[in-house]
Amino acid sequence: GGGGGGERELPGYLTAGRPPIAVSLLVFASIALSVASRASGFPPVEWIIGSDLAARPWLLVTPPFFHEGYGYGFVSLLAVAMFGSGIERRFGAAAVVAIWLVCGAAGVVAEHALAPNTLVANGSIAIAVGMMAAWLVHVLQREDLRDYDPYGLVAVSAVLFAMPLVSEEASV
């Protein structure tokens, strides 16, 4: 929240306002598909593997919904939930979906450019960083920053940017 009670806001899932429906659906879909893929061998390989993006354009959209590692998936989806919910409350569901699609595709393209022989491209860390950057731009444009928690932002940012050092699948 807002104003006078001395309460500070970490971008958030837990702050007052309408529930973040788009963020909730995207995060839930990613969790459900990641768990299902681990449990049953789903998804079809052609949804997540390949280097020919021109011939298989769906690879720009599908990989960010699947996480090889639960730790990496947890951190990236937690950041998406935290920052994305603030974006959705202020700018609507379309903004969240656009950031998810654009940043996820950019992450997949970057991974293929930097590691062309990779079998699995993810892109979800790019979505988390994109949500964080969009939220940060919004916050920095405000005149009154007293309601925002800079230490929380620094902590979450540090974890996101450290992920490639500890998790191979977060390397792009």
Side-chain angles (χ1 to χ4, degrees):
E7 185 180 320
R8 302 181 102 186
E9 179 180 339
L10 182 60
Y13 219 76
L14 301 177
T15 56
R18 64 180 181 79
I21 302 300
V23 168
S24 299
L25 290 174
L26 290 167
V27 168
F28 177 76
S30 187
I31 291 169
L33 289 169
S34 294
V35 170
S37 71
R38 279 293 193 79
S40 66
F42 178 83
V45 169
E46 62 271 6
W47 283 17
I48 60 170
I49 296 176
S51 58
D52 191 1
L53 293 176
R56 300 186 331 190
W58 61 86
L59 290 176
L60 294 172
V61 177
T62 54
F65 285 100
F66 300 94
H67 300 276
E68 286 183 75
Y70 289 128
Y72 160 68
F74 174 78
V75 170
S76 63
L77 292 175
L78 178 64
V80 167
M82 289 172 60
F83 296 112
S85 63
I87 293 166
E88 185 170 345
R89 273 197 332 273
R90 289 165 181 85
F91 303 106
V96 168
V97 172
I99 292 168
W100 178 285
L101 293 174
V102 169
C103 292
V108 170
V109 169
E111 186 159 354
H112 279 293
L114 296 173
N117 295 325
T118 189
L119 292 179
V120 178
N122 187 279
S124 66
I125 198 75
I127 294 169
V129 171
M131 294 284 182
M132 180 188 69
W135 183 84
L136 185 59
V137 166
H138 166 70
V139 168
L140 292 177
Q141 291 176 344
R142 295 178 59 112
E143 291 180 25
D144 183 9
L145 299 177
R146 290 178 295 167
D147 289 341
Y148 295 92
D149 180 4
Y151 301 111
L153 176 63
V154 169
V156 172
S157 301
V159 170
L160 280 178
F161 288 112
M163 285 298 292
L165 300 175
V166 296
S167 176
E168 186 177 325
E169 63 258 21
S171 62
V172 173

